[in-house]
Amino acid sequence: MTQTSTFVVKTTFAFLLLICLPLTLATAQTVITGTVIDDLTDEPLAGVEVRALSVFGATNAVGAFELRVGIPAGEALHLSVGIEGYQTYETDLVGNDSGQIDLGTIRLQAAVGLNQTILDELIPSISLADGDLDANGGGSQNISGVLSASRDVFVSAAAFTFGQARFNIRGYDARYTSVLINGLPVNDLETGNVFFNHWGGLNDVFRNRTNTIGLGASTFAYGGVGGASTVDTRASTQRKGLNVSYALSNRTYRNRVMATYNTGMLASGWAFSASASRRWADEGYVAGTFYDAYSYFLSVDRQLAKNNVLNLTVYGAPIKRGKISGATQETYDLAGTNFYNANWGYQEGKKRNSRVQNINQPVVMLRNDWALSDKLALTTSLGFQTGRTGNTALDWYNAPDPRPNYYRRLPSYFEGDTRTEIEQLWEDNPEIIGQIDWDQIYQANYNGFQTIENADGIAGNTVSGLRSQYVIEDRRTDLSRATANTVLEAFLSDHLTMQFGLTYSDQTTANYKLVDDLLGGDFYLNVDKFAEFDSSGIFTENNLAVPNEILREGDRFGYDYDLHIQQTNAWTQANFRFPKVDFFLAGSIGQSKYWRDGKVANGKFPDSSFGESEKLSFTEVGAKGGLTYKINGRNYLLVNAAYQTKAPYTQDAFTSPRTRNQVVSNLTEEKILSLEGGYLLRSPKFKARAMGYLTRFEDQIFNRSLFLDRVVQNAAGTSGGFVNYIMQGINSQHAGLELAVEVNVTPALRATAVAAIGQYIYTNRPTATIYLDQLAEEVVKHTVYIDNYNVAGSANEAYTFGLNYTGSNFWFANLNFNYFAGTWLDFFPERRTTEAVSYVSDPTIIQEVVTPDSELWNSILDQERTPSAFTMDFFGGKSWKINNVFLLLNVGVNNLLDKKDFRTGGYEQFRFDFDTKDVNRFPNNYFYSFGRNYFVSLTFRM
Amino acid sequence: MQFKYLFSFLFFAILGLTFSGCVDQAFDEPPVRGLPTLTANATIAQVRDLHTLGSNPTEITEDWIIAGLVVADDESGNLYQNLVIEDASAGIVIRLGSAGLFALYPVGTELFVKVKGLYVNDYNNLYQITGDASGAVIAGPLISQYLVAGEKKEVMPTPTTLNEVLNNPTVFKNLLSRLIILEDIQFADVDLGATYAVAGGGSGRNRTLEDCSGNAVVVRNSDFADFAGEPIPAGNGTLTAILSVFGTTVQLTLRNTDDVQFTGTRCGTGPIGGDLVSIQSLRAAFAGGQNAGPDNSKIRGVVISDLANGNFNSRNIVIQDGTAGILVRFTGNHSFALGQELEITVSGQEMSEFNGLLQLNNVPLGNAASQGNGTLPEPRVATVAELLANGNAWESTLVRITNATLNGGPTYGDGFTVADGTGSIPTFTFFSASFSGTPIPTTVGTLTAILSDFNGLQLNMRNIGDADFMGGSGGDPTAITAAELRTLFADGGSTVPAARLLRGIVTSDAGNGNLTGRNLVIQDATGGMTVRFTANHVFTLGEEIEINVSGMELSEFNGLLQLNNVPNANAVSYGPGTLPTPRVATIRQVLDNLEAWESTLVKIVDVSMPEGGTYNGSKILEDDTAQIALFTRTAATFSGATVPTGQFTIVGIVAQFTEAQLIIRNLNDIQ
């Protein structure tokens, strides 16, 4: 922690305490009670959120709630009661002297207007980033979809309307938001990411969500700087009845069927919930992307005692789908579409995708909710997850690069007549020259008859057959994790509630490749083709235990290692509530320990690749606090601050985990300091929110493997090499404003306006250390000049204006007008070094450097921003009641204007032509938002 | 309620149906590609005949399809971006812009080539099919437009002999770029112990292959071949290879080491080695009537002839031991240098006289084995009279005559006699000798040479160092001008005469890196000269220097005349001088006077560079009269600077790299 940030934290806390102390003497609390039932069925509704801004609670299994708030007599307080699928009940309460307000029975009516469940379905979380991209390209995940359950206008817009433009709230990666299911954290310990596809297609049963955005206090977890979100999947909190739906779309899948049946809490003390879905497409919006996903879910509640419920939840969502590639504009133009996908080709007349994602990571969870007394509640969960996560890709040995968009195959690589001739081929038949030629790949494998002597390291063992030149490999990151979590909530007084939490996670990720398809050959060899180019002997062997290893389908090759991660975390939080102010203080401390365990000895690193690495251990601490000042029951001011340290992610902590145990030197915890403050207005007719935030990250790490030209300089000359590129000590700053207004113009017409304006920049010049991948040799260490460059991955400015009309005959329509001011492209740090702008490795005079501020200079250094874009979305729906059956039709159309040139992001290729300085030699890659796309669903509910 | 059950049933039925409707992601393996229905309508010979060797690439406009069998591919890396195909008529190389060609077109594939639109040309007399008029490869993405793979067939090499391919032009032409098989051959002894090439290097390596009848041929191996680091086999046997050519040098190209089956015993007149005999006893045996070397015997001595300076036939060496010397004539060109110590197996080897000079004749290169550097024998100091008296015994040994005067000339190559008062003896110098153009000294001095015989005793100098007149410098130094040096070279001279000094102003700018560090350009009132030192020099632009050019090599490097390998110590600085005023000329005039103006400064007005971009590399410079290349090294400090647009004035040094070119010194040369 720097001195500055220490100072800021200390002063912030001092400030909070000072202004809070006098107020703790204020008046008593008012207890608000009530029961929530379904207007139609008279069934009690469990899990309904009752919120008086900063204070919130939920109904129990019989629909009852009790909320303690400070509310001076005569003042109005805005209260909302809501759950997905129902219209939110809102009212203004007026404080009285009795300290008691009983709202009696609140009847919630089934939602007919736009609500979260419908939004969940209608608005795609099209995130091209969700694993579609190569590691090369800016890879932040879109976290919006999960955070959506909020009835907050801003968050809702951020999640759904801005999601299509790769917008992340405050520009944060998913790793800064804690996501929990039944109290168990599910952020991947290796990368921090959240794998939403582990519960894809289970929309019906994953809708009970509670979120905290930003630095506010949450009762279920300490939370990251982005906030925390938890999903409650208990059977007793699921809405009773049968739900069957069919949906048609032209997005990533074409069809979806989904069925869910919930019993609610039965008189016998049991509750059951079951859900299953299937989503599929022979081809999605983009050519060559098939989609084939199932999901299943079973949850059982058993009332052990009046105050003790045990829950078992099992779910899984096996998915297989063809992925999309990013491409350069040249390729998009050649193909005639911005939805060109280089990953597929025709095989026997059918489109075959070479990059298939295949995930099946089922989860089992046990949860216990135990009200020890009316002052103490204990929630304890245990979870276990295991399975496979695979992504396939072509691998090849000595044969030509099969990728149709390989730069040496594109017209721009050639000149004169040759270029024209190739351009003509693209024009005449882009589906041949622009896609993978599977026939040729098979033909090459059929040609490859070879005899391998001493195969598998056994003297005299001779194997003959077709040696595949090309194979499809499956890159596996199979994770297994066990998690235990417990939270004790203590209602110590009318003014003080405290939480104590303890979490332990143990995750092992098995990282390896296996041969998925020999593509007509008989075997493949476990040797490193890149190493073979330079050397011979054991250097080329990927597995020293079995030299000359013959590989058949299903055999592991290349690399094989486990990453073990153990995390322990304890936290506590104290929430103080008074009539004029609420404030909270929280602290957390934890330890993160991890190590690599190599399963094979690699020929390049015979001594450092096999077995366990050094065990790295980091201490993680956090402190945060916040204050809400209630001007009156409708107007609030709030300020929150947090300081946190985080262990480096394992993916950044090893120089090259594929090949060796070598640890990045000078590893240190990432430090995060964040402040936010704002104003909130709540009333039944008018809601407004204005928030500002400032977050500083220090000591971030960037760790990639890439091919770097001109990296090796010795007597024999200059050559390129595959390197581990590690940038350490990166500081960045995210600052911005969030504004949202919602007006109920008439009871039927609602208007919303939302703006998110942020600036996410790097604030220093970090140091990059470059190691040769094959030799573990530090070859270069130099400064990277990226101060004031923009952090990529999220639109910096997004605006939307929406009109929502709810008709009297159970229909609604919604129209949104959106404006996005462009996204910065991910940049290649090495292009911002002295080497990139000089003609000699160590320039001493100005003539040895590209003329500063010349066109060439700027083309090398400037960071590109995508153009701004205007889009429109429509959602509408209608419901009918036939006997006891509800029929709901919902329609969502995104990008109504069919804007097909809306760049949502992109990245510079991690390759630069140091000799000629021509940035167009390896041009930028871009992603485009889908053109007009729709989602129509028909739901039967009984 | 019944309605509800009906619905339930309906929906679970639909659900079941949709669950069973599957996304079909099972793929058949494609069958081995169906054979093409193409048939050839032309032969490789017809394609070759479209092109005249040495001329520009010839576009093939006929709608021809040729069918050839792939006889060599790129699998081992010895060929890169090349396939070699042959049909009944001929063979040819196809240049293709892709790695891993063997994966798609392996050896044995019948390859149909739709040659219309392609080009046929030759690379130093080797016919090849290329993608465009510049001789470039057929671009990777276009390969499948021209090549169609057919059936896989057996590849049968054509049997032949080295004698045929080397000496019978018809056979050579017919077999060029075909797979041939040779029997009873072996690598030359000089290469034994070497590897095929140098793994990790970056070029090609020549290895000599010889048969048992004195024929030798080069095998060219690439450092990128996967067998580059393997040692060549020592035995004798069968070799399969592609017959190739580079200029006039016949070459063989291996596909992999399976092509080399050398398991038999090496040939030669006897086994290598044997008992050491003295050269004197060998000579004595010949004098005694014996015309073959004694059984089981070898000689050992130091090479006293100097291959490098060209005054000896390239198949011959003269070797001397402590007793005597002898000329050895090999079956092929050797590479033994002056001072190398050799063992040569002489068992059964022919001994004969050639115009009176005794020689060991037709010795296979394999009979000679290097023993490393030896110690040169001290020349025998003798008078001419003594030489003439002991001719037979002293033949093929080093001798030295003091107080010698040379008569004849005016150059060594013109022939001269040596006299010392006791008598006179003729000399013989090849025109190819490095010093043949050097004028003979007119003073008295010492001459060292090998005593030889060509129908009478004569002397053969080895190099210019053998003439030591007036203390080695050949007289008081005198000035020589750049123009005189150029005339000397134009008249056939390749070495500067002794005692010559060249003085002028440095017109090149070492500081800006546009010449290699060893080179400078000097200009005097008569002209300019490029000087290449043995190491990087320190002279700056405008410095006046004097270079002792006595005996220095005058040679052309890609057309640019230079004083080569000048020791740095030979040059002395006289401080800053006055730069010559550049000659104002047009590009046309520069081109017309290239040889005379080479290495001088010229100034050309109203020039432009239409290509734009940076200086780096060869860029077109033009005025109203013509175009010339402006060449800038990547290492030049200004190579990345952008060239001016529009017209400007340029000052530069006239240079030549095959074609005329201009070199600027720094950006001040652009106005």
Side-chain angles (χ1 to χ4, degrees), chain A residues 242 244-246 257-259 276-278 280-282 290-292 294 347-348 350-353 398-400 408-410 414 418 421-422 425 433 438-447 450 469-470 517 519-520 533 839 845 847-848 856 882-885 915 940 942, chain B residues 1 3-5 7-8 11-12 14-15 18-34 75 80 98-106 109 119 131-132 137 139-142 144-146 152 224 512 614 616 634-641 667:
Chain A
L242 177 69
V244 181
S245 71
Y246 171 75
V257 287
M258 191 157 72
S277 77
R278 167 143 163 76
W280 76 98
D282 280 321
F290 76 94
Y291 200 97
D292 192 10
Y294 297 83
Q347 178 171 336
E348 297 291 284
K350 271 195 325 199
K351 289 176 178 174
R352 178 176 189 179
N353 195 314
N398 218 347
R408 286 170 182 261
R409 292 178 55 154
L410 296 177
F414 301 94
T418 306
E421 216 172 323
I422 298 169
L425 287 179
I433 191 165
W438 290 105
D439 278 357
Q440 181 155 304
I441 284 172
Y442 274 89
Q443 192 59 43
N445 287 351
Y446 293 147
N447 282 339
Q450 264 193 23
Q469 285 293 332
Y470 299 92
D517 192 339
L519 300 174
F533 187 72
Y839 294 103
I845 53 172
Q847 285 88 341
E848 292 171 339
L856 180 63
I882 307 168
N883 294 341
N884 280 330
V885 179
D915 291 326
F940 292 82
M942 279 166 275
Chain B
M1 224 37 195
F3 189 77
K4 182 174 171 178
Y5 288 125
F7 254 122
S8 309
F11 264 86
F12 280 110
I14 292 170
L15 205 63
T18 44
F19 266 69
S20 63
C22 66
V23 179
D24 185 5
Q25 282 295 312
F27 287 92
D28 271 355
E29 291 192 1
V32 176
R33 183 179 294 149
E75 183 165 12
Y80 176 65
S98 170
L101 292 166
F102 72 95
L104 300 171
Y105 314 107
T109 306
Y119 288 76
D132 66 17
V137 292
L142 297 177
S144 56
Q145 303 296 307
Y146 295 106
K152 241 181 148 179
F224 295 106
N512 276 295
T614 63
N616 191 25
T634 305
T637 54
F638 50 85
S639 70
L667 288 183

Side-chain angles (χ1 to χ4, degrees), chain B residues 280-292 351-353 358-359:
Chain B
Q280 191 175 43
S281 65
L282 202 64
R283 297 186 72 93
F286 179 74
Q290 196 176 323
N291 57 13
M351 292 195 291
S352 56
E353 278 193 338
L358 177 62
Q359 58 183 26

